[in-house]
Amino acid sequence: MIELVVYGAEVLCPSCVNLPSSKETYEWLEAAIGRKYPNQPFQITYVDIYQPPNDEKKQAFAERVIEEDMFYPVVVLEDEVVGEGNPKLKTIYAAMERHGYKTSE
């Protein structure tokens, strides 16, 4: 089972004014991926970059998002950045399929 981590913040990044919030993107991805890969378990986690959980790896990446001025939300799949700012489902699906996920279509 893979883990997707969506790093974001309550406040929209300055370049993302007309885009959905990080939390909305997280919820949208969870629903879209669940429909695309039914009965194939995956974990999706939301991490607030300003209040990351007590997990060293997630804290370090949250700091990187801030320090490198990355466009958030940043979507990470198994340590690979697969989306930034306005993540594309096609890119995320391709990354999941490289990890063995099969489409239901």
Side-chain angles (χ1 to χ4, degrees):
M1 177 165 62
I2 62 159
E3 180 182 25
L4 280 139
V5 184
V6 178
Y7 291 87
E10 292 290 321
V11 179
L12 292 178
C13 76
S15 300
C16 306
V17 174
N18 293 322
L19 299 176
S21 72
S22 297
K23 196 75 155 180
E24 289 168 331
T25 299
Y26 158 78
E27 292 165 353
W28 167 72
L29 284 173
E30 185 173 37
I33 293 168
R35 281 192 305 274
K36 182 81 168 179
Y37 305 104
N39 306 316
Q40 295 174 72
F42 66 93
Q43 181 177 343
I44 185 164
T45 307
Y46 177 77
V47 173
D48 185 312
I49 59 174
Y50 296 108
Q51 298 176 343
N54 192 13
D55 175 312
E56 205 172 296
K57 190 174 172 182
K58 288 180 174 71
Q59 287 175 348
F61 195 85
E63 286 175 23
R64 183 177 156 202
V65 171
I66 295 167
E67 289 171 4
E68 295 181 15
D69 286 328
M70 298 173 88
F71 296 121
Y72 49 85
V74 178
V75 181
V76 177
L77 186 148
E78 298 297 312
D79 300 322
E80 175 190 358
V81 175
V82 293
E84 188 179 341
N86 186 15
K88 306 286 183 250
L89 280 175
K90 190 174 183 178
T91 306
I92 295 167
Y93 291 160
M96 291 187 72
E97 288 167 16
R98 285 194 300 275
H99 285 274
Y101 284 74
K102 305 275 187 257
T103 63
S104 62
E105 298 172 49

XYZ file of all heavy atoms in Angstrom:
847
model
N 0.851 -1.180 0.000
C 0.000 0.000 0.000
C 0.895 1.241 0.000
O 1.811 1.344 0.795
C -0.906 -0.004 1.232
C -1.756 1.233 1.323
S -3.147 1.195 2.479
C -2.388 0.978 4.034
N 0.596 2.147 -0.902
C 1.375 3.380 -0.989
C 0.746 4.472 -0.133
O -0.419 4.392 0.245
C 1.480 3.889 -2.443
C 0.103 4.215 -2.992
C 2.228 2.921 -3.321
C 0.119 5.156 -4.148
N 1.550 5.481 0.142
C 1.041 6.650 0.860
C 1.246 7.885 -0.001
O 2.330 8.130 -0.510
C 1.762 6.855 2.198
C 1.218 8.074 2.935
C 1.913 8.382 4.253
O 3.084 7.988 4.411
O 1.280 9.023 5.100
N 0.173 8.620 -0.178
C 0.218 9.939 -0.807
C 0.137 10.942 0.329
O -0.696 10.792 1.222
C -0.994 10.153 -1.707
C -0.940 9.523 -3.080
C -2.275 8.935 -3.425
C -0.559 10.570 -4.079
N 0.997 11.935 0.281
C 0.952 12.981 1.303
C 0.723 14.308 0.601
O 1.414 14.640 -0.364
C 2.255 13.028 2.132
C 2.138 14.069 3.241
C 2.579 11.664 2.722
N -0.284 15.025 1.060
C -0.607 16.342 0.513
C -0.150 17.374 1.540
O -0.674 17.422 2.650
C -2.122 16.485 0.234
C -2.433 17.879 -0.296
C -2.597 15.411 -0.731
N 0.869 18.148 1.163
C 1.389 19.202 2.037
C 0.763 20.519 1.626
O 0.745 20.861 0.449
C 2.909 19.316 1.881
C 3.664 18.132 2.423
C 3.905 17.021 1.628
C 4.123 18.120 3.739
C 4.593 15.917 2.122
C 4.807 17.026 4.244
C 5.038 15.924 3.433
O 5.710 14.840 3.930
N 0.226 21.238 2.603
C -0.411 22.506 2.291
C -0.595 23.358 3.520
O 0.003 23.107 4.561
N -1.434 24.379 3.386
C -1.698 25.304 4.482
C -3.107 25.859 4.332
O -3.695 25.788 3.260
C -0.679 26.435 4.472
N -3.603 26.405 5.418
C -4.934 27.023 5.410
C -4.979 28.193 4.426
O -5.934 28.375 3.697
C -5.297 27.528 6.813
C -5.527 26.436 7.829
C -6.804 25.647 7.585
O -7.820 26.242 7.196
O -6.768 24.422 7.779
N -3.917 28.974 4.419
C -3.831 30.146 3.555
C -3.333 29.707 2.184
O -2.392 28.931 2.083
C -2.853 31.188 4.155
C -2.729 32.395 3.245
C -3.313 31.598 5.537
N -3.975 30.188 1.127
C -3.536 29.844 -0.222
C -2.163 30.441 -0.490
O -1.849 31.529 -0.024
C -4.520 30.399 -1.257
C -5.913 29.787 -1.299
C -6.748 30.511 -2.346
C -5.846 28.310 -1.607
N -1.366 29.720 -1.281
C -0.070 30.290 -1.646
C -0.339 31.484 -2.569
O -1.333 31.502 -3.299
C 0.846 29.244 -2.284
S 0.493 28.781 -3.971
N 0.526 32.489 -2.569
C 0.290 33.715 -3.343
C 0.033 33.475 -4.832
O -0.732 34.208 -5.448
C 1.580 34.515 -3.135
C 2.131 34.009 -1.845
C 1.742 32.559 -1.778
N 0.631 32.457 -5.398
C 0.450 32.183 -6.829
C -0.758 31.297 -7.116
O -1.014 30.951 -8.259
C 1.705 31.505 -7.377
O 2.810 32.349 -7.189
N -1.475 30.903 -6.069
C -2.564 29.934 -6.235
C -3.924 30.536 -5.891
O -4.843 29.832 -5.479
C -2.298 28.724 -5.338
S -0.686 27.982 -5.590
N -4.071 31.829 -6.066
C -5.259 32.546 -5.608
C -6.575 31.984 -6.133
O -7.527 31.848 -5.391
C -5.137 34.054 -5.930
C -6.421 34.788 -5.601
C -3.986 34.653 -5.151
N -6.665 31.623 -7.402
C -7.931 31.140 -7.945
C -8.078 29.620 -7.917
O -8.996 29.084 -8.519
C -8.107 31.645 -9.378
C -8.281 33.149 -9.410
O -8.941 33.718 -8.541
N -7.690 33.799 -10.375
N -7.192 28.941 -7.212
C -7.224 27.479 -7.135
C -7.887 27.027 -5.837
O -7.995 27.805 -4.890
C -5.794 26.925 -7.211
C -5.036 27.240 -8.499
C -3.608 26.734 -8.400
C -5.727 26.619 -9.700
N -8.302 25.753 -5.784
C -8.879 25.236 -4.534
C -7.834 25.258 -3.415
O -6.625 25.242 -3.681
C -9.253 23.792 -4.881
C -9.189 23.684 -6.358
C -8.293 24.765 -6.848
N -8.309 25.234 -2.182
C -7.388 25.209 -1.045
C -6.678 23.849 -0.989
O -7.083 22.888 -1.642
C -8.163 25.428 0.260
O -8.929 24.269 0.565
N -5.634 23.782 -0.186
C -4.887 22.533 -0.023
C -5.797 21.433 0.517
O -5.746 20.295 0.063
C -3.710 22.745 0.929
O -2.808 23.682 0.395
N -6.625 21.788 1.484
C -7.538 20.805 2.087
C -8.565 20.327 1.059
O -8.874 19.140 0.996
C -8.219 21.449 3.303
C -8.872 20.482 4.225
C -7.834 19.754 5.053
C -8.472 19.285 6.347
N -7.559 18.579 7.192
N -9.093 21.237 0.253
C -10.048 20.854 -0.798
C -9.378 19.939 -1.823
O -9.982 18.965 -2.279
C -10.607 22.089 -1.503
C -11.547 22.901 -0.652
C -11.870 24.265 -1.258
O -11.038 24.836 -1.990
O -12.975 24.758 -0.967
N -8.129 20.231 -2.148
C -7.388 19.394 -3.096
C -7.188 17.999 -2.511
O -7.364 17.000 -3.211
C -6.031 20.039 -3.442
O -6.293 21.314 -4.052
C -5.240 19.174 -4.399
N -6.846 17.929 -1.245
C -6.678 16.647 -0.547
C -7.968 15.823 -0.631
O -7.942 14.646 -0.993
C -6.273 16.911 0.908
C -6.562 15.794 1.864
C -5.739 14.669 1.929
C -7.659 15.850 2.717
C -6.011 13.642 2.815
C -7.936 14.839 3.609
C -7.114 13.729 3.651
O -7.387 12.704 4.528
N -9.107 16.438 -0.332
C -10.392 15.730 -0.362
C -10.749 15.299 -1.781
O -11.247 14.186 -2.000
C -11.492 16.609 0.238
C -11.301 16.825 1.729
C -12.130 17.955 2.317
O -12.783 18.704 1.538
O -12.136 18.097 3.553
N -10.487 16.150 -2.753
C -10.752 15.848 -4.158
C -9.893 14.668 -4.617
O -10.381 13.746 -5.266
C -10.477 17.115 -4.972
C -10.398 16.944 -6.450
C -11.436 16.700 -7.297
C -9.228 17.028 -7.270
N -10.970 16.628 -8.586
C -9.625 16.818 -8.596
C -7.883 17.264 -6.996
C -8.723 16.831 -9.656
C -7.002 17.287 -8.042
C -7.416 17.072 -9.362
N -8.600 14.684 -4.264
C -7.705 13.587 -4.647
C -8.140 12.266 -4.022
O -8.135 11.229 -4.690
C -6.265 13.883 -4.225
C -5.505 14.880 -5.064
C -4.159 15.192 -4.417
C -5.306 14.355 -6.472
N -8.512 12.315 -2.759
C -8.934 11.095 -2.059
C -10.127 10.455 -2.778
O -10.152 9.250 -3.028
C -9.286 11.420 -0.608
C -9.618 10.201 0.222
C -9.805 10.550 1.682
O -10.360 11.627 1.997
O -9.387 9.737 2.512
N -11.106 11.273 -3.153
C -12.295 10.763 -3.845
C -11.946 10.271 -5.255
O -12.362 9.179 -5.662
C -13.361 11.862 -3.916
N -11.176 11.056 -5.997
C -10.838 10.697 -7.382
C -10.012 9.418 -7.448
O -10.265 8.536 -8.281
C -10.082 11.849 -8.052
N -9.030 9.288 -6.566
C -8.177 8.100 -6.570
C -8.973 6.875 -6.129
O -8.813 5.788 -6.692
C -6.933 8.327 -5.691
C -6.047 9.400 -6.337
C -6.147 7.024 -5.498
C -4.947 9.925 -5.434
N -9.843 7.050 -5.159
C -10.695 5.943 -4.714
C -11.596 5.432 -5.827
O -11.827 4.222 -5.950
N -12.089 6.334 -6.673
C -12.932 5.928 -7.814
C -12.096 5.248 -8.896
O -12.529 4.303 -9.528
C -13.649 7.141 -8.413
C -14.860 7.593 -7.641
C -15.694 8.602 -8.427
N -14.928 9.758 -8.873
C -14.712 10.853 -8.152
N -15.198 10.936 -6.928
N -14.032 11.861 -8.645
N -10.915 5.754 -9.119
C -10.053 5.244 -10.192
C -9.493 3.859 -9.860
O -9.325 3.022 -10.741
C -8.909 6.236 -10.421
C -7.967 5.861 -11.541
C -8.517 6.230 -12.885
C -7.460 6.121 -13.962
N -7.985 6.446 -15.274
N -9.188 3.640 -8.589
C -8.585 2.373 -8.161
C -9.410 1.742 -7.041
O -8.944 1.599 -5.916
C -7.142 2.611 -7.691
C -6.289 3.290 -8.734
C -5.965 4.637 -8.618
C -5.831 2.602 -9.839
C -5.198 5.274 -9.592
C -5.064 3.221 -10.817
C -4.757 4.557 -10.682
O -4.008 5.178 -11.641
N -10.655 1.325 -7.345
C -11.495 0.739 -6.307
C -10.886 -0.575 -5.814
O -10.244 -1.301 -6.569
C -12.840 0.510 -7.005
C -12.499 0.406 -8.448
C -11.304 1.296 -8.658
N -11.092 -0.858 -4.552
C -10.605 -2.098 -3.929
C -9.088 -2.236 -3.968
O -8.569 -3.342 -3.873
C -11.272 -3.326 -4.561
C -12.779 -3.214 -4.523
O -13.353 -2.826 -3.504
N -13.425 -3.515 -5.630
N -8.383 -1.133 -4.167
C -6.923 -1.141 -4.111
C -6.526 -0.155 -3.013
O -6.681 1.048 -3.183
C -6.320 -0.741 -5.464
C -6.642 -1.747 -6.563
C -6.166 -1.266 -7.922
O -4.982 -1.243 -8.176
N -7.108 -0.880 -8.772
N -6.073 -0.666 -1.901
C -5.818 0.215 -0.754
C -4.686 1.209 -0.998
O -3.700 0.904 -1.665
C -5.461 -0.757 0.372
C -4.993 -1.986 -0.311
C -5.717 -2.050 -1.631
N -4.886 2.390 -0.483
C -3.864 3.436 -0.486
C -4.142 4.311 0.722
O -5.245 4.297 1.265
C -3.898 4.271 -1.782
C -5.137 5.094 -1.949
C -5.169 6.415 -1.515
C -6.277 4.551 -2.530
C -6.328 7.175 -1.658
C -7.432 5.308 -2.678
C -7.458 6.622 -2.246
N -3.140 5.017 1.137
C -3.307 5.937 2.255
C -3.026 7.338 1.739
O -2.079 7.546 0.990
C -2.330 5.582 3.376
C -2.460 6.470 4.588
C -1.515 6.036 5.699
O -1.004 4.932 5.711
N -1.279 6.931 6.630
N -3.870 8.270 2.125
C -3.631 9.667 1.763
C -3.676 10.486 3.049
O -4.570 10.308 3.877
C -4.636 10.181 0.691
C -4.283 11.600 0.259
C -6.061 10.051 1.151
C -4.956 12.056 -1.027
N -2.675 11.310 3.223
C -2.510 12.069 4.455
C -2.372 13.550 4.123
O -1.683 13.905 3.172
C -1.225 11.596 5.189
O -1.280 10.188 5.359
C -1.076 12.268 6.533
N -3.022 14.384 4.913
C -2.882 15.827 4.757
C -1.930 16.323 5.838
O -2.074 15.980 7.012
C -4.239 16.526 4.895
C -4.113 18.030 4.818
C -3.927 18.659 3.591
C -4.131 18.815 5.958
C -3.777 20.040 3.508
C -3.990 20.187 5.887
C -3.815 20.791 4.656
O -3.656 22.161 4.579
N -0.948 17.132 5.447
C 0.007 17.708 6.396
C -0.002 19.220 6.243
O 0.273 19.742 5.160
C 1.442 17.164 6.148
C 2.448 17.893 7.030
C 1.502 15.666 6.388
N -0.330 19.908 7.332
C -0.266 21.369 7.348
C 1.211 21.735 7.498
O 1.853 21.336 8.477
C -1.080 21.919 8.522
C -1.158 23.438 8.522
O -0.095 24.093 8.363
O -2.259 23.969 8.689
N 1.757 22.472 6.540
C 3.189 22.766 6.554
C 3.604 23.629 7.751
O 4.767 23.622 8.137
C 3.661 23.419 5.227
C 2.922 24.728 4.951
C 3.537 22.436 4.086
C 3.435 25.496 3.726
N 2.661 24.345 8.344
C 2.986 25.185 9.488
C 2.753 24.472 10.817
O 3.170 24.960 11.858
C 2.194 26.495 9.440
C 2.570 27.325 8.234
C 1.703 27.465 7.164
C 3.828 27.922 8.144
C 2.064 28.206 6.043
C 4.192 28.664 7.027
C 3.306 28.797 5.979
O 3.674 29.523 4.860
N 2.078 23.327 10.781
C 1.836 22.523 11.984
C 1.954 21.038 11.625
O 0.980 20.289 11.737
C 0.442 22.810 12.549
C 0.272 24.239 12.986
C -1.146 24.523 13.458
O -2.084 23.791 13.188
N -1.301 25.603 14.186
N 3.148 20.604 11.174
C 3.296 19.209 10.771
C 3.187 18.262 11.959
O 3.405 18.670 13.104
C 4.691 19.170 10.147
C 5.425 20.314 10.754
C 4.385 21.360 11.040
N 2.857 17.001 11.693
C 2.734 16.026 12.775
C 4.101 15.685 13.369
O 5.142 16.071 12.816
C 2.124 14.801 12.069
C 2.612 14.926 10.668
C 2.637 16.408 10.390
N 4.090 14.949 14.436
C 5.329 14.544 15.090
C 5.941 13.363 14.330
O 5.987 12.243 14.818
C 5.039 14.171 16.550
C 6.314 14.029 17.344
O 7.387 14.428 16.901
N 6.204 13.436 18.518
N 6.356 13.638 13.105
C 6.948 12.640 12.222
C 8.122 13.339 11.537
O 7.927 14.288 10.772
C 5.893 12.187 11.201
C 6.423 11.227 10.153
O 7.498 11.503 9.567
O 5.744 10.222 9.895
N 9.316 12.885 11.818
C 10.522 13.576 11.354
C 10.550 13.792 9.844
O 10.887 14.874 9.365
C 11.745 12.756 11.787
C 13.010 13.567 11.922
C 14.123 12.749 12.545
O 13.978 12.349 13.716
O 15.124 12.517 11.843
N 10.174 12.770 9.091
C 10.206 12.852 7.628
C 9.204 13.894 7.112
O 9.530 14.708 6.248
C 9.875 11.465 7.064
C 10.096 11.312 5.602
C 9.874 9.841 5.239
C 9.891 9.623 3.770
N 9.643 8.229 3.420
N 7.997 13.883 7.670
C 6.973 14.838 7.243
C 7.332 16.256 7.680
O 7.101 17.220 6.953
C 5.599 14.419 7.758
C 5.043 13.194 7.032
C 3.677 12.806 7.555
C 3.037 11.696 6.756
N 3.645 10.394 6.919
N 7.925 16.399 8.862
C 8.357 17.718 9.329
C 9.440 18.278 8.406
O 9.402 19.453 8.039
C 8.895 17.633 10.755
C 7.827 17.436 11.797
C 8.400 17.237 13.196
O 9.594 17.024 13.387
N 7.527 17.300 14.192
N 10.382 17.434 8.028
C 11.482 17.879 7.167
C 10.960 18.322 5.802
O 11.394 19.348 5.271
C 12.511 16.756 7.005
N 10.002 17.575 5.243
C 9.487 17.968 3.937
C 8.640 19.231 4.052
O 8.682 20.091 3.164
C 8.698 16.841 3.259
C 8.484 17.116 1.797
C 9.444 16.775 0.865
C 7.340 17.782 1.358
C 9.278 17.072 -0.476
C 7.160 18.085 0.019
C 8.135 17.727 -0.900
N 7.877 19.371 5.138
C 7.077 20.586 5.346
C 8.000 21.806 5.388
O 7.701 22.847 4.787
C 6.264 20.476 6.631
N 9.142 21.682 6.058
C 10.117 22.775 6.104
C 10.654 23.072 4.701
O 10.850 24.230 4.341
C 11.272 22.414 7.033
C 10.902 22.467 8.496
C 12.029 21.985 9.409
O 13.214 22.024 8.990
O 11.713 21.569 10.531
N 10.872 22.015 3.924
C 11.380 22.195 2.558
C 10.379 22.976 1.697
O 10.764 23.845 0.921
C 11.650 20.820 1.945
C 12.228 20.895 0.576
C 12.555 19.520 0.034
N 12.561 19.606 -1.421
C 12.399 18.583 -2.219
N 12.233 17.373 -1.745
N 12.402 18.750 -3.521
N 9.088 22.668 1.850
C 8.049 23.379 1.089
C 8.126 24.869 1.380
O 8.072 25.697 0.472
C 6.637 22.826 1.424
C 5.553 23.689 0.805
C 6.496 21.381 0.962
N 8.300 25.207 2.656
C 8.372 26.617 3.058
C 9.678 27.250 2.562
O 9.662 28.308 1.934
C 8.255 26.750 4.600
C 6.870 26.279 5.056
C 8.511 28.192 5.040
C 6.752 26.061 6.550
N 10.799 26.593 2.835
C 12.110 27.159 2.503
C 12.317 27.339 0.995
O 12.933 28.301 0.563
C 13.227 26.274 3.064
C 13.330 26.351 4.571
C 14.268 25.320 5.164
O 14.925 24.568 4.400
O 14.340 25.241 6.404
N 11.812 26.396 0.205
C 12.013 26.463 -1.243
C 10.884 27.195 -1.961
O 10.844 27.213 -3.188
C 12.166 25.042 -1.808
C 13.409 24.340 -1.316
C 13.574 22.942 -1.879
O 12.883 22.592 -2.865
O 14.395 22.192 -1.328
N 9.953 27.771 -1.189
C 8.814 28.492 -1.762
C 8.088 27.653 -2.811
O 7.753 28.148 -3.892
C 9.248 29.827 -2.380
C 9.566 30.871 -1.324
O 8.922 30.837 -0.261
O 10.451 31.703 -1.564
N 7.863 26.392 -2.491
C 7.144 25.518 -3.415
C 5.687 25.959 -3.467
O 5.147 26.493 -2.496
C 7.252 24.057 -2.953
C 8.675 23.536 -2.937
S 8.808 21.887 -2.208
C 8.535 20.887 -3.655
N 5.047 25.748 -4.608
C 3.620 26.053 -4.730
C 2.856 24.913 -4.076
O 3.020 23.756 -4.453
C 3.204 26.176 -6.200
C 3.850 27.317 -6.913
C 4.638 27.102 -8.029
C 3.670 28.620 -6.477
C 5.234 28.164 -8.691
C 4.263 29.686 -7.132
C 5.049 29.452 -8.243
N 2.075 25.233 -3.072
C 1.322 24.176 -2.422
C -0.146 24.261 -2.810
O -0.598 25.317 -3.240
C 1.521 24.197 -0.896
C 1.339 25.541 -0.214
C 0.088 25.978 0.172
C 2.436 26.352 0.051
C -0.074 27.193 0.808
C 2.289 27.576 0.683
C 1.030 27.983 1.063
O 0.866 29.189 1.684
N -0.851 23.148 -2.762
C -0.421 21.897 -2.158
C 0.649 21.184 -2.980
O 0.667 21.280 -4.203
C -1.697 21.059 -2.103
C -2.544 21.588 -3.212
C -2.223 23.046 -3.296
N 1.517 20.488 -2.259
C 2.526 19.643 -2.882
C 2.101 18.208 -2.603
O 1.855 17.848 -1.457
C 3.932 19.906 -2.295
C 4.962 18.970 -2.921
C 4.337 21.358 -2.504
N 1.988 17.401 -3.659
C 1.569 16.011 -3.515
C 2.801 15.127 -3.671
O 3.512 15.217 -4.676
C 0.495 15.634 -4.565
C 0.052 14.185 -4.378
C -0.697 16.572 -4.467
N 3.038 14.299 -2.663
C 4.199 13.411 -2.658
C 3.706 11.974 -2.590
O 2.869 11.627 -1.758
C 5.114 13.717 -1.446
C 6.294 12.758 -1.389
C 5.596 15.158 -1.497
N 4.216 11.151 -3.495
C 3.869 9.735 -3.526
C 5.164 8.952 -3.344
O 6.042 9.012 -4.194
C 3.216 9.383 -4.870
C 2.672 7.979 -5.021
C 1.459 7.990 -5.927
C 3.702 7.024 -5.545
N 5.284 8.276 -2.206
C 6.475 7.469 -1.930
C 7.760 8.257 -2.209
O 8.619 7.813 -2.959
C 6.438 6.178 -2.752
C 5.265 5.267 -2.432
C 5.274 4.733 -1.007
O 6.308 4.244 -0.549
O 4.217 4.821 -0.348
N 7.888 9.422 -1.622
C 9.073 10.289 -1.705
C 9.273 10.976 -3.054
O 10.292 11.613 -3.281
C 10.354 9.520 -1.330
C 10.294 8.977 0.089
O 9.747 9.682 0.964
O 10.783 7.864 0.322
N 8.322 10.869 -3.966
C 8.416 11.533 -5.267
C 7.357 12.633 -5.344
O 6.177 12.371 -5.107
C 8.178 10.512 -6.386
C 8.130 11.117 -7.767
C 7.657 10.142 -8.846
O 7.400 8.963 -8.548
O 7.526 10.588 -9.994
N 7.773 13.851 -5.668
C 6.814 14.945 -5.841
C 6.081 14.701 -7.156
O 6.685 14.648 -8.219
C 7.516 16.321 -5.855
C 6.515 17.431 -6.170
C 8.199 16.591 -4.522
N 4.763 14.502 -7.066
C 3.966 14.216 -8.266
C 2.978 15.332 -8.587
O 2.242 15.235 -9.564
C 3.226 12.854 -8.144
C 4.215 11.705 -8.128
C 2.315 12.815 -6.927
N 2.965 16.376 -7.789
C 2.084 17.504 -8.062
C 2.464 18.682 -7.191
O 2.884 18.513 -6.049
N 2.324 19.873 -7.763
C 2.660 21.083 -7.022
C 1.754 22.218 -7.504
O 1.619 22.426 -8.700
C 4.131 21.425 -7.270
C 4.655 22.546 -6.412
C 6.133 22.842 -6.672
O 6.850 21.994 -7.224
O 6.543 23.955 -6.331
N 1.127 22.901 -6.537
C 0.260 24.032 -6.880
C -1.108 23.591 -7.340
O -2.063 23.645 -6.597
N -1.190 23.117 -8.561
C -2.442 22.621 -9.129
C -2.159 21.215 -9.665
O -1.921 21.041 -10.852
C -2.925 23.557 -10.236
C -4.293 23.186 -10.758
O -5.019 22.423 -10.146
N -4.635 23.716 -11.916
N -2.157 20.202 -8.779
C -1.757 18.863 -9.199
C -2.669 18.290 -10.281
O -3.880 18.533 -10.286
C -1.830 18.043 -7.915
C -2.703 18.811 -7.000
C -2.594 20.247 -7.397
N -2.081 17.562 -11.195
C -2.809 16.937 -12.306
C -3.059 15.474 -12.009
O -2.131 14.726 -11.689
C -2.002 17.052 -13.606
C -1.585 18.476 -13.953
C -2.754 19.284 -14.461
C -2.342 20.677 -14.872
N -2.817 21.725 -14.013
N -4.316 15.059 -12.110
C -4.668 13.669 -11.850
C -3.892 12.708 -12.748
O -3.440 11.659 -12.297
C -6.173 13.442 -12.042
C -7.068 13.870 -10.888
C -8.523 13.691 -11.268
C -6.748 13.093 -9.635
N -3.733 13.068 -14.002
C -3.051 12.193 -14.957
C -1.637 11.850 -14.471
O -1.200 10.702 -14.545
C -3.011 12.878 -16.324
C -2.550 12.009 -17.450
C -2.700 12.750 -18.775
C -2.296 11.855 -19.931
N -2.473 12.521 -21.214
N -0.925 12.835 -13.945
C 0.436 12.627 -13.438
C 0.422 11.735 -12.203
O 1.254 10.837 -12.055
C 1.088 13.983 -13.101
O 1.016 14.824 -14.245
C 2.527 13.824 -12.668
N -0.524 11.982 -11.309
C -0.635 11.183 -10.088
C -1.021 9.747 -10.430
O -0.441 8.792 -9.898
C -1.635 11.833 -9.111
C -1.071 13.182 -8.644
C -1.920 10.912 -7.926
C -2.054 14.066 -7.929
N -1.964 9.575 -11.352
C -2.357 8.225 -11.766
C -1.169 7.476 -12.371
O -0.957 6.296 -12.087
C -3.491 8.275 -12.797
C -4.829 8.740 -12.270
C -5.795 9.216 -13.150
C -5.157 8.709 -10.917
C -7.040 9.644 -12.701
C -6.394 9.139 -10.459
C -7.330 9.604 -11.354
O -8.555 10.020 -10.915
N -0.390 8.148 -13.202
C 0.769 7.503 -13.833
C 1.760 7.032 -12.766
O 2.307 5.922 -12.860
C 1.443 8.460 -14.811
N 1.978 7.859 -11.760
C 2.892 7.480 -10.677
C 2.339 6.281 -9.906
O 3.083 5.362 -9.553
C 3.113 8.663 -9.742
N 1.036 6.266 -9.661
C 0.432 5.139 -8.941
C 0.547 3.855 -9.759
O 0.818 2.787 -9.217
C -1.022 5.446 -8.595
C -1.138 6.528 -7.540
S -2.796 6.800 -6.932
C -3.055 5.316 -5.950
N 0.363 3.970 -11.051
C 0.449 2.782 -11.913
C 1.869 2.245 -11.972
O 2.075 1.043 -12.112
C -0.150 3.090 -13.288
C -1.668 3.205 -13.167
C -2.377 3.801 -14.357
O -1.781 3.879 -15.455
O -3.549 4.206 -14.176
N 2.858 3.120 -11.814
C 4.253 2.644 -11.729
C 4.464 1.822 -10.445
O 5.390 1.035 -10.353
C 5.233 3.820 -11.746
C 5.401 4.453 -13.119
C 6.609 5.374 -13.184
N 6.600 6.485 -12.258
C 6.015 7.658 -12.468
N 5.355 7.888 -13.592
N 6.078 8.612 -11.567
N 3.584 2.033 -9.468
C 3.654 1.288 -8.204
C 2.692 0.082 -8.205
O 2.413 -0.490 -7.158
C 3.339 2.204 -7.025
C 4.463 3.136 -6.697
N 5.505 2.802 -5.875
C 4.730 4.394 -7.128
C 6.357 3.811 -5.796
N 5.902 4.789 -6.549
N 2.153 -0.260 -9.367
C 1.350 -1.467 -9.490
C -0.157 -1.304 -9.444
O -0.880 -2.293 -9.504
N -0.644 -0.087 -9.350
C -2.095 0.105 -9.325
C -2.656 -0.076 -10.727
O -2.024 0.310 -11.705
C -2.449 1.498 -8.760
C -2.297 1.548 -7.261
C -1.039 1.582 -6.675
C -3.407 1.515 -6.436
C -0.891 1.584 -5.302
C -3.266 1.535 -5.064
C -2.007 1.563 -4.499
O -1.858 1.559 -3.138
N -3.851 -0.661 -10.813
C -4.504 -0.923 -12.098
C -5.822 -0.156 -12.129
O -6.565 -0.159 -11.148
C -4.788 -2.410 -12.266
C -3.566 -3.302 -12.106
C -2.804 -3.411 -13.399
C -1.682 -4.421 -13.304
N -0.372 -3.852 -13.158
N -6.136 0.434 -13.294
C -7.380 1.188 -13.415
C -8.570 0.246 -13.511
O -8.446 -0.896 -13.943
C -7.365 2.103 -14.654
O -7.269 1.282 -15.804
C -6.226 3.079 -14.613
N -9.714 0.785 -13.147
C -10.947 -0.017 -13.202
C -11.645 0.152 -14.563
O -12.659 -0.463 -14.810
C -11.892 0.413 -12.078
O -12.265 1.768 -12.259
N -11.089 1.025 -15.386
C -11.741 1.324 -16.667
C -11.425 0.270 -17.696
O -10.406 -0.330 -17.758
C -11.274 2.690 -17.168
C -11.668 3.783 -16.208
C -11.060 5.113 -16.575
O -11.160 5.512 -17.748
O -10.483 5.757 -15.701
